[in-house]
Amino acid sequence: MSIASALYVGRVRHHRFRPKPHALAYRVFWMLLDLDEIDAIARASRLFSRNRFNLYAFRDADYGDGSGRPLKAQLAEVLAAAGIDWDGATARLLTMPRILGYAFNPLSTYFCYASDGELRATVYEVHNTFGETHSYVAPAGSGARPLRQEAQKRFHVSPFMGLSMRYAFRVEPPGEQVCVAIDGHDAGGRLIAAVLSGTRRRLDDATLLRLLATHPLLTLKVTAAIHWHALRLLAKRIPWWPHPTPPAQPFSPAQISAPHPKGSMQR
């Protein structure tokens, strides 16, 4: 079976610059799932299922508005509301699967392609540890790569960062490599830099078994790492921001940006 879906194996790195430096890095892998291929992948795999328990699984209700409605239909609604022209041809989602029934994705990224094969938009779906979700929706522009986009922060992610920030995205869409880099700037300048990057692997049972050995209980470890580093930030006496009311709108528009200064958002 020839599929566009794949696995990407790599690392997540996060660096905070102020008021005290703090960094983390860990190995991770993601699935790139063409939303039209998920059922075919599940039928061909003994280890991966859709909407039922397995070693690896995809559950529709983990994404979008949580209703389980078809995600392509939800994407079409969101992109239309954001004024982005997309004919609904192809949508691919970069995300971590459920592993033994558990999943937590701080960031899942949709790549929305038109019928001519051109990337029309990206949607950055952010989940926080309070059970809330918000998306940043950005046009892909005229084909220049890497993608460079910007958005005002609207959604509470960490109690150690306020909302008075602006995100700058630098994205290499999935090919042999994938990279999503995000810089966060506030009134004092660059505050954080986060990068996820990976190398393409075949999505099949043999690779999934190897990843179980090299990345055991990945999704649980991601959640544990978030809380462990929160304790370390508390120990460093990083200021704490109260949890604000979530935005009423489920998504915020982003826009194409000019290139950033050399040295920003490097892998």
Side-chain angles (χ1 to χ4, degrees):
M1 178 177 61
S2 176
I3 61 172
S5 302
L7 293 161
Y8 283 87
V9 181
R11 297 181 70 83
V12 167
R13 296 185 292 276
H14 188 286
H15 193 102
R16 183 186 183 111
F17 301 98
R18 297 181 281 110
K20 295 179 181 180
H22 185 82
L24 64 91
Y26 50 89
R27 296 183 304 157
V28 69
F29 70 88
W30 303 267
M31 285 185 169
L32 178 73
L33 293 170
D34 186 306
L35 297 184
D36 291 328
E37 295 178 347
I38 298 174
D39 286 333
I41 295 167
R43 286 193 298 268
S45 174
R46 295 183 178 181
L47 305 180
F48 174 79
S49 298
R50 182 176 195 170
N51 293 328
R52 66 180 180 85
F53 182 84
N54 204 335
L55 181 59
Y56 298 94
F58 177 87
R59 192 176 78 171
D60 292 75
D62 289 339
Y63 302 93
D65 63 11
S67 67
R69 290 192 301 127
L71 287 173
K72 282 184 75 174
Q74 293 191 51
L75 286 171
E77 293 169 2
V78 167
L79 266 60
I84 298 174
D85 183 25
W86 180 53
D87 60 14
T90 303
R92 294 174 185 150
L93 171 62
L94 187 71
T95 190
M96 287 184 291
R98 283 183 168 260
I99 300 177
L100 293 173
Y102 181 78
F104 176 68
N105 274 286
L107 175 68
S108 295
T109 305
Y110 300 86
F111 298 88
C112 302
Y113 297 86
S115 54
D116 61 5
E118 291 296 316
L119 183 62
R120 289 287 189 267
T122 52
V123 178
Y124 305 98
E125 184 175 290
V126 183
H127 292 250
N128 64 23
T129 55
F130 305 98
E132 300 163 345
T133 305
H134 190 75
S135 294
Y136 298 92
V137 183
S142 60
R145 299 295 180 267
L147 295 174
R148 295 184 184 272
Q149 301 154 326
E150 295 184 356
Q152 186 66 37
K153 183 179 179 181
R154 303 291 185 192
F155 180 61
H156 182 74
V157 177
S158 166
F160 301 100
M161 288 184 289
L163 292 180
S164 298
M165 289 178 56
R166 190 162 184 85
Y167 292 132
F169 302 92
R170 178 184 180 276
V171 180
E172 294 280 2
E176 286 306 308
Q177 308 284 329
V178 68
C179 181
V180 178
I182 306 169
D183 272 9
H185 296 260
D186 63 9
R190 192 183 188 201
L191 177 62
I192 60 165
V195 182
L196 67 82
S197 58
T199 301
R200 188 180 181 96
R201 298 284 186 269
R202 183 179 174 85
L203 202 176
D204 58 21
D205 281 0
T207 310
L208 289 172
L209 274 175
R210 286 195 295 271
L211 289 173
L212 182 66
T214 57
H215 300 69
L217 300 177
L218 171 65
T219 50
L220 185 62
K221 286 184 176 181
V222 168
T223 301
I226 289 171
H227 290 92
W228 167 243
H229 284 278
L231 290 173
R232 292 182 61 190
L233 290 171
L234 279 173
K236 291 182 178 183
R237 299 185 179 181
I238 303 297
W240 179 280
W241 295 82
H243 187 174
T245 302
Q249 187 81 347
F251 72 92
S252 297
Q255 57 275 335
I256 300 166
S257 65
H260 289 267
K262 185 177 180 181
S264 179
M265 293 190 296
Q266 297 296 308
R267 295 186 191 182

